[in-house]
Amino acid sequence: YSDNINIPESGNGTPDILDEARFELEWMMKMQASDGGAYHKVSCATFPGYVAPTAEKDELIVTPVSSTATADFCASMALAAEFYEKYDKEFASKCMEAAKKAWAWLEANPNFVFKNPEDIVTGEYGDRTDKDERYWAAAQMYRATKDEKYLSSLGKASEGLDWSTVGDYGNIALVTMNGIDKNSDAYKNAEKAIIGQADRMAGNVSASPYGSAITKYNWGSNMTIANA
């Protein structure tokens, strides 16, 4: 990835794609509570209607911490720590510190935690389980640190590349990890999950007159097709 795509940070020695990602990562850090948990979301109480973002002036409300947001945050920060290490060790260290703090919260709160305030009617991004988020967090932390304690926390391999199902991010982290034991349960389970899904999707493509890898078309299904 180049450092010359003509953004203000071009030429600073860091690939421009990482400069762009850092903007959002630093915003995410603001969403981490003092105890390590991550606030579930920030939004207005209601949808603003069809106005430009700059015209939206209503009060923004930070919702309570959730285990899903915390695990996603943990995984994202661990991933960032790995990729920024080569270019900005100080920022990479900050990301890892945030990831470990989030992991400590997950350990202290082993149950699924989510509560959407009744007076906020924007999309809640709720979930029925946080097992796939915790799986991704454990996989990404193991990849970034090589610490066996994260490996022992993996549990059963999960699936999904959506906003509510994220297990395949963990699978991809493991099967592309340098130096991983390919005879380990962690590697074999992740590989099996990926290939199993690919086989099912190939079957969907063969059975579909449109050659589509999915069989249900929900809101945002173009993303689901692209992920498949």
Side-chain angles (χ1 to χ4, degrees):
Y1 292 98
S2 72
D3 186 25
N4 61 354
I5 63 171
N6 197 30
I7 62 172
E9 297 84 359
S10 292
N12 65 355
T14 298
D16 286 345
I17 193 169
L18 292 184
D19 287 319
E20 289 292 287
R22 179 167 176 162
F23 184 87
E24 193 72 6
L25 288 165
E26 289 178 337
W27 177 84
M28 288 174 68
M29 288 178 177
K30 296 177 183 179
M31 293 289 282
Q32 186 174 38
S34 59
D35 65 356
Y39 298 114
H40 187 71
K41 70 169 187 174
V42 57
S43 79
C44 299
T46 61
F47 287 110
Y50 294 100
V51 299
T54 50
E56 170 53 88
K57 304 294 185 181
D58 287 346
E59 178 184 39
L60 288 171
I61 304 166
V62 178
T63 62
V65 164
S66 73
S67 56
T68 48
T70 303
D72 287 340
F73 175 88
C74 176
S76 299
M77 289 298 150
L79 180 62
E82 176 185 348
F83 282 91
Y84 283 87
E85 177 68 23
K86 180 180 177 181
Y87 302 101
D88 189 333
K89 290 184 181 297
E90 183 178 349
F91 183 65
S93 177
K94 187 178 180 181
C95 291
M96 180 49 64
E97 182 181 340
K100 289 181 175 178
K101 194 173 179 181
W103 182 264
W105 187 94
L106 292 170
E107 287 186 311
N109 297 271
N111 298 319
F112 175 52
V113 178
F114 173 77
K115 180 175 175 59
N116 193 52
E118 294 179 359
D119 56 345
I120 296 178
V121 298
T122 56
E124 71 174 15
Y125 294 96
D127 211 329
R128 288 174 291 186
T129 177
D130 61 8
K131 285 183 170 54
D132 52 319
E133 285 84 5
R134 289 177 184 267
Y135 174 77
W136 178 30
Q140 213 71 62
M141 289 295 282
Y142 175 61
R143 175 181 167 122
T145 67
K146 312 297 190 293
D147 190 327
E148 294 287 328
K149 79 172 185 177
Y150 301 112
L151 191 63
S152 63
S153 299
L154 275 174
K156 185 180 178 181
S158 294
E159 299 179 358
L161 287 173
D162 212 305
W163 62 263
S164 63
T165 54
V166 298
D168 279 315
Y169 293 110
N171 294 329
I172 292 167
L174 292 172
V175 299
T176 61
M177 176 179 170
N178 289 330
I180 192 171
D181 179 5
K182 293 188 176 181
N183 293 313
S184 66
D185 288 341
Y187 182 91
K188 289 191 288 187
N189 290 340
E191 181 184 52
K192 182 180 178 181
I194 291 172
I195 292 175
Q197 290 175 90
D199 286 341
R200 293 197 301 272
M201 291 170 186
N204 290 341
V205 169
S206 297
S208 168
Y210 297 103
S212 174
I214 68 173
T215 57
K216 288 179 63 179
Y217 295 86
N218 301 315
W219 169 258
S221 58
N222 279 348
M223 176 193 70
T224 313
I225 291 173
N227 287 342

